[in-house]
Amino acid sequence: MKSAHYIAAAIVTVALGVSGGLAFKILGANDVAPDVGYTLLDGSQSTTRQLRGKVVLVNFWATSCTTCVHEMPKIVATHEKFKARGYETLAVAMSHDPPAYVINFAETRKLPFGVVIDNTGQFAKRFGEVQLTPTSVLINKRGEIVKRFVGEPDFVALHQLVEKLLAET
């Protein structure tokens, strides 16, 4: 019976760490998003710092992640709904994702936003050791992390939060 309690305690400890307790201590709400350089699939280069002044959703995903594939049309719809008002989406494919799969996915689905292949894993590392997909990080115009979503976000709540952030000066 004692071993069952130890196992349950270990599961709770891991779940708390994964669900945000540990991740938020590493990089969480009100922290300034890291300045990370990246190359988009089209070959253009940029940095996350250059996105300041916009509300940004950084979505860590993988083509092998069924939840990621399921949520991507909603990520696209969110991008389309708010892009004219200063909203940007950056889709970061995890280092274990084969580049050919990422390129095929982005092209066949005509993703309307920047796609990065994090081939070294540094992008995910700089954003708080992201390992689970999907993980999305919402950043305000000042470059501060507002919210981290592990798993598919509640898109109604996400849209409300984006509206609020876009209204800020």
Side-chain angles (χ1 to χ4, degrees), residues 22-23 33 50 105 147:
L22 180 62
Q50 291 176 306
F105 187 95
K147 188 154 179 94

mmCIF file of all heavy atoms in Angstrom, residues 22-23 33 50 105 147:
data_model
loop_
_atom_site.group_PDB
_atom_site.id
_atom_site.type_symbol
_atom_site.label_atom_id
_atom_site.label_comp_id
_atom_site.label_asym_id
_atom_site.label_seq_id
_atom_site.Cartn_x
_atom_site.Cartn_y
_atom_site.Cartn_z
ATOM 1 N N LEU A 22 7.004 24.070 -12.418
ATOM 2 C CA LEU A 22 8.426 24.089 -12.716
ATOM 3 C C LEU A 22 8.708 24.939 -13.945
ATOM 4 O O LEU A 22 9.609 25.765 -13.937
ATOM 5 C CB LEU A 22 8.918 22.652 -12.931
ATOM 6 C CG LEU A 22 10.384 22.469 -13.267
ATOM 7 C CD1 LEU A 22 11.236 22.989 -12.108
ATOM 8 C CD2 LEU A 22 10.684 21.009 -13.504
ATOM 9 N N ALA A 23 7.926 24.774 -14.994
ATOM 10 C CA ALA A 23 8.165 25.516 -16.229
ATOM 11 C C ALA A 23 8.046 27.017 -15.994
ATOM 12 O O ALA A 23 8.824 27.793 -16.528
ATOM 13 C CB ALA A 23 7.188 25.069 -17.311
ATOM 14 N N ALA A 33 10.226 37.663 -22.934
ATOM 15 C CA ALA A 33 10.518 36.549 -23.827
ATOM 16 C C ALA A 33 11.969 36.638 -24.282
ATOM 17 O O ALA A 33 12.481 37.735 -24.507
ATOM 18 C CB ALA A 33 9.572 36.581 -25.035
ATOM 19 N N GLN A 50 12.494 41.327 -32.804
ATOM 20 C CA GLN A 50 11.911 42.119 -33.895
ATOM 21 C C GLN A 50 10.389 42.040 -33.926
ATOM 22 O O GLN A 50 9.752 42.790 -34.661
ATOM 23 C CB GLN A 50 12.511 41.697 -35.237
ATOM 24 C CG GLN A 50 13.974 42.088 -35.353
ATOM 25 C CD GLN A 50 14.604 41.582 -36.630
ATOM 26 O OE1 GLN A 50 14.559 40.395 -36.938
ATOM 27 N NE2 GLN A 50 15.197 42.501 -37.393
ATOM 28 N N PHE A 105 4.182 19.642 -44.461
ATOM 29 C CA PHE A 105 3.013 20.051 -43.675
ATOM 30 C C PHE A 105 2.694 21.519 -43.924
ATOM 31 O O PHE A 105 1.552 21.892 -44.205
ATOM 32 C CB PHE A 105 3.264 19.804 -42.185
ATOM 33 C CG PHE A 105 2.074 20.042 -41.308
ATOM 34 C CD1 PHE A 105 1.237 18.996 -40.949
ATOM 35 C CD2 PHE A 105 1.767 21.306 -40.837
ATOM 36 C CE1 PHE A 105 0.135 19.198 -40.139
ATOM 37 C CE2 PHE A 105 0.661 21.529 -40.025
ATOM 38 C CZ PHE A 105 -0.155 20.467 -39.682
ATOM 39 N N LYS A 147 1.091 34.241 -21.090
ATOM 40 C CA LYS A 147 0.499 32.936 -20.758
ATOM 41 C C LYS A 147 1.216 31.844 -21.531
ATOM 42 O O LYS A 147 1.668 32.055 -22.649
ATOM 43 C CB LYS A 147 -0.985 32.929 -21.105
ATOM 44 C CG LYS A 147 -1.718 31.692 -20.628
ATOM 45 C CD LYS A 147 -3.181 31.979 -20.405
ATOM 46 C CE LYS A 147 -3.921 30.767 -19.958
ATOM 47 N NZ LYS A 147 -4.046 30.629 -18.550
#
